[in-house]
Amino acid sequence: MGLAKRIIPCLDVKNGETVKGTNFVNLRSAGDPVELGKAYSEAGADELVFLDITASYEGRKTFTDMVTRVAAEINIPFTVGGGINELKDVERLLHAGADKISINSAAIRNPELISDITGQFGSQVCVCAIDARLDEDGWHCYVKGGRERTELGLFDWAHEVQERGAGEILFTSMNHDGVKNGYANEALAHLAEILSIPVIASGGAGKKEHFRDAFTIGKADAALAASVFHFGEIPIPELKEYLREEGIGIRV
C-alpha cells in the first residue's frame, strides 16, 4: 500500500488572521490561526501548512511570534512559508518552531537557495511550492502570489527543484484554487510520473470525492485544502473515514 496519504489544512495568514480567497483574490477572514491550528491538530490532520501571504517586512516579527504560538499548541509536522529569501529566514522560522519551510518566488528568483537550504538543514526541511496556471500555451509557473507569470514551465521547474534537493513539492493549480471542482489531477499524475519526491496537491477541494481522486487519479502523496476545513464543510475525521472506506491508506 505504500506510505499513508496525508491530509493537510493550509492557513493563509495576513495581518495576523487566516484568510481564504478564490483564484488567489477576494480574500475573506477565516479565523484565528493559533486556534485553527490547535483545532486541526486535535481533529487528526497529518500536517499543517502556514503561509504568510503578504510577508511584508513589518509583518515578519508578528508572523514569527505566531509560528511560536502555533508550535506550542500542536503535535504534528508544521510547514511555514512566506517571505523566505535567505538562510537566516529559514533559521528564524525553524527556531520559532517550524519543522519545514516552504519557498516559492524566492526559489524561482534564486534557484541556488534550494541547494543552500538543503545543504544546511537537509532535504526534509525544504518544501518547494509551485503556483502554476494552465494557460493557452501550457502550464506556467507564477510568482508574487500568483500575480506575475514566468517563462518557466511547471514540469521542467518541478524536475529542477527535485534535482536541487528539495524534499517535497507543493503544487497549487491557480485554475482550480478556491473553485471547489476538484484538483488538477492530470497535471498531478504527470508530476508523480516524472518525480521521485512527494507531491502535495493544492487547489480545488470541494467535496470528499475530490481528495479520493487526487490520491487515485492524481497519484498525489498528500492533499492540502483550506476553505472546506476552515468553514466546517468537511470535518477531517469524517474525510479520513471516507478515504479509508475507499481503500486509501490513511492514518485515522
Side-chain angles (χ1 to χ4, degrees), residues 87 103 106-118 157 160 164:
L87 288 178
I103 51 173
I108 287 177
R109 276 199 310 273
N110 171 24
E112 290 293 322
L113 182 61
I114 303 170
S115 327
D116 291 346
I117 293 169
T118 57
W157 175 235
E160 181 175 342
R164 287 181 175 276

Side-chain angles (χ1 to χ4, degrees), residues 15-219:
N15 304 330
E17 64 176 8
T18 310
V19 293
K20 184 60 196 135
T22 304
N23 300 124
F24 285 45
V25 292
N26 303 327
L27 301 176
R28 57 181 174 147
S29 176
D32 176 62
V34 182
E35 291 302 313
L36 278 171
K38 184 179 180 185
Y40 289 141
S41 179
E42 290 170 354
D46 296 299
E47 297 190 16
L48 277 182
V49 169
F50 262 56
L51 300 174
D52 180 357
I53 60 168
T54 43
S56 63
Y57 184 72
E58 312 82 77
R60 287 217 184 155
K61 184 165 169 31
T62 318
F63 186 69
T64 308
D65 292 345
M66 185 187 301
V67 169
T68 304
R69 282 164 46 224
V70 172
E73 298 287 350
I74 65 173
N75 56 6
I76 53 177
F78 180 29
T79 300
V80 177
I84 296 168
N85 296 301
E86 52 189 347
L87 288 178
K88 68 177 185 192
D89 295 327
V90 179
E91 209 162 321
R92 172 172 53 84
L93 291 167
L94 293 177
H95 185 68
D99 297 291
K100 309 178 196 178
I101 58 89
S102 168
I103 51 173
N104 187 339
S105 304
I108 287 177
R109 276 199 310 273
N110 171 24
E112 290 293 322
L113 182 61
I114 303 170
S115 327
D116 291 346
I117 293 169
T118 57
Q120 178 116 0
F121 304 104
S123 287
Q124 77 289 347
V125 162
C126 186
V127 177
C128 204
I130 302 177
D131 297 333
R133 195 170 78 182
L134 181 55
D135 295 327
E136 284 180 8
D137 55 348
W139 283 97
H140 278 270
C141 299
Y142 278 70
V143 291
K144 297 186 178 167
R147 289 186 288 274
E148 193 177 293
R149 175 177 143 139
T150 72
E151 286 316 300
L152 280 176
L154 164 64
F155 304 112
D156 290 343
W157 175 235
H159 189 264
E160 181 175 342
V161 160
Q162 171 176 286
E163 294 305 293
R164 287 181 175 276
E168 278 181 292
I169 282 175
L170 165 54
F171 160 53
T172 301
S173 163
M174 292 171 61
N175 310 70
H176 296 73
D177 177 67
V179 184
K180 301 188 176 180
N181 286 336
Y183 293 92
N185 293 320
E186 278 183 30
L188 281 165
H190 189 58
L191 285 170
E193 201 176 295
I194 63 169
L195 302 173
S196 56
I197 58 174
V199 177
I200 304 166
S202 165
K207 49 188 187 180
K208 289 180 279 198
E209 291 79 2
H210 294 154
F211 290 88
R212 176 199 64 199
D213 294 347
F215 294 137
T216 54
I217 303 167
K219 307 277 189 278

